[in-house]
Amino acid sequence: MLYRVIEASELPSIIEGFMESYEVVAPVKRGDRFVFDSVSSADEVELDYTTTVSSPKKYLLPPEEVLFNFDVEGNDVEESVIEIKPRVIFGVHACDINAFNRMDLVYRSGKYPDPYYVARREKTIIVGVSCMPTDTCFCNLWNSDEARFGYDLFFTKIGDGSKYIVSIVSVEAGTLLESLCDLKYATDEDRIAFREYTARRAKAFNPDMPDIKEVAMLMDTFHSDPYWEELGDRCLSCTACAAVCPSCFCFDIADFVAPDGTKGTRKRLWDSCTSPSFARVAGGHNFRPRAMHRVRHRMYHKLNGFQSNYDRMLCVGCGRCIKACKANINPVEVLKFFEEKEVQ
């Protein structure tokens, strides 16, 4: 890993340079919010954004994708040919990079790698950018406030904002960056400015967020608590939480057949464990028929189950679900519940 320094004024030319060989996806402003979208000019990019409405996950795992087409009459299957463009996702916060890393554990590094996900991941350059937390951020609780790997370049603004320290990981991205700007070695002043920024960012997190230890154990301890009934009564089963979550990876498989029944398409679609039909199986039996079961399962997977398999929380503390859920159901509320139990 190399560390170099660039002038902030060089960022537009860097972004424009990437556009010559890659599709560039970056945070852009839409009304009073921010979203990740494909850009055609560096002027569209907003790197000083708070949190996007949803994560850039959709560029590696699309909400809907065709797996194959089938011909019923001819008993024939035609695999879907996916054209994957080389892409740069520019301006990704540390929490979303850590979410990518968790997705990699499931779709890329597991026993059965997903060919669709892997193909997109291998043609995607991840460029991270530093950020200051908002009131709903709690990535620091899960050690997701820093990205230690999973990216190609990472830009950290230092001093008065006129410079960035760049962490260079991949040869491909580093070589291109070197051709687009004047990379300098960090001075003692730059290193001091970086430490000052790091300290300032650490102090900026919302102090009211409950810092609870042994969360996974507490999820087991209070698995049968009436609290889950209360959350279930509030849940609207709208699945907004999964739609904005950067680390939810569940999907459904559905066949879409032509009206005459002769041809069809099989698709993979995002799914959510809070959907009433998620745990319904053949014959109509539902393993999680009530909202309390579904809410508890979602939180258990985020805060316990994934950690038992991969040694890290599935939740990365981005805070998007706090804003998306109209019933105020989110991991922070669960932490507050644990905090109350500790006081009793």
Side-chain angles (χ1 to χ4, degrees):
M1 186 181 296
L2 298 175
Y3 293 95
R4 296 291 184 265
V5 175
I6 68 163
E7 299 292 329
S9 59
E10 295 183 283
L11 270 178
S13 62
I14 293 172
I15 295 171
E16 299 282 354
F18 275 121
M19 288 178 188
E20 294 179 9
S21 304
Y22 303 87
E23 176 195 10
V24 175
V25 169
V28 299
K29 196 165 187 180
R30 295 284 185 265
D32 60 348
R33 298 186 179 187
F34 298 95
V35 299
F36 276 97
D37 203 352
S38 181
V39 297
S40 56
S41 169
D43 294 337
E44 300 175 57
V45 180
E46 298 278 353
L47 292 183
D48 289 325
Y49 69 101
T50 49
T51 304
T52 53
V53 176
S54 59
S55 80
K57 173 182 70 176
K58 63 182 179 181
Y59 294 101
L60 299 182
L61 183 69
E64 176 181 315
E65 63 182 324
V66 176
L67 301 181
F68 59 80
N69 300 303
F70 56 88
D71 185 333
V72 178
E73 290 183 326
N75 194 28
D76 187 35
V77 172
E78 178 187 356
E79 285 193 34
S80 174
V81 178
I82 302 174
E83 182 183 352
I84 301 174
K85 303 184 223 177
R87 176 183 286 145
V88 174
I89 306 181
F90 203 101
V92 186
H93 286 171
C95 58
D96 282 337
I97 292 174
N98 280 295
F100 282 151
N101 293 338
R102 284 152 174 75
M103 296 279 289
D104 284 351
L105 291 170
V106 176
Y107 283 105
R108 192 183 192 186
S109 307
K111 187 176 181 180
Y112 303 103
D114 183 276
Y116 305 95
Y117 178 90
V118 171
R120 291 187 178 91
R121 188 70 165 98
E122 291 181 349
K123 285 201 172 183
T124 301
I125 289 177
I126 306 295
V127 179
V129 67
S130 60
C131 61
M132 295 301 287
T134 67
D135 286 346
T136 55
C137 294
F138 57 103
C139 53
N140 59 320
L141 301 183
W142 306 149
N143 295 319
S144 298
D145 53 324
E146 293 183 17
R148 296 179 176 85
F149 60 94
Y151 59 86
D152 298 88
L153 302 171
F154 197 96
F155 292 78
T156 301
K157 187 181 288 187
I158 58 173
D160 59 0
S162 62
K163 290 182 180 181
Y164 283 89
I165 282 186
V166 187
S167 172
I168 304 171
V169 175
S170 76
V171 174
E172 179 184 359
T175 301
L176 184 54
L177 181 67
E178 188 175 17
S179 69
L180 296 172
C181 66
D182 181 20
L183 294 176
K184 298 183 177 69
Y185 288 94
T187 64
D188 288 342
E189 290 78 9
D190 294 331
R191 297 185 185 93
I192 291 171
F194 178 78
R195 287 196 295 269
E196 288 175 346
Y197 164 79
T198 303
R200 188 169 69 253
R201 184 174 187 272
K203 291 179 181 178
F205 281 98
N206 185 349
D208 294 330
M209 292 291 184
D211 187 5
I212 305 297
K213 308 302 180 186
E214 303 296 340
V215 174
M217 182 192 70
L218 291 170
M219 288 298 299
D220 278 332
T221 302
F222 295 105
H223 187 265
S224 301
D225 196 274
Y227 173 70
W228 302 112
E229 185 85 44
E230 177 193 335
L231 284 192
D233 288 342
R234 284 153 48 187
C235 181
L236 303 174
S237 299
C238 67
T239 73
C241 51
V244 301
C245 179
S247 61
C248 276
F249 54 80
C250 290
F251 62 84
D252 191 13
I253 301 291
D255 288 343
F256 296 83
V257 183
D260 61 4
T262 60
K263 296 182 179 180
T265 299
R266 178 162 293 181
K267 296 182 180 181
R268 171 161 68 181
L269 313 163
W270 282 2
D271 203 354
S272 170
C273 59
T274 57
S275 169
S277 62
F278 184 84
R280 187 181 298 138
V281 296
H285 179 70
N286 195 328
F287 285 93
R288 287 186 284 276
R290 298 175 56 206
M292 71 154 285
H293 300 135
R294 298 190 290 271
V295 170
R296 182 176 64 189
H297 174 79
R298 174 179 168 77
M299 294 299 174
Y300 195 88
H301 189 216
K302 291 288 182 185
L303 307 180
N304 180 302
F306 194 85
Q307 179 169 284
S308 66
N309 289 323
Y310 299 106
D311 197 30
R312 67 202 70 185
M313 294 288 189
L314 183 57
C315 176
V316 294
C318 70
R320 289 184 176 98
C321 59
I322 295 176
K323 298 177 182 178
C325 181
K326 304 306 178 185
N328 197 32
I329 300 172
N330 56 69
V332 172
E333 289 302 302
V334 176
L335 296 183
K336 289 179 180 177
F337 162 69
F338 290 152
E339 187 176 48
E340 290 173 1
K341 289 293 184 180
E342 284 185 345
V343 173
Q344 293 177 3

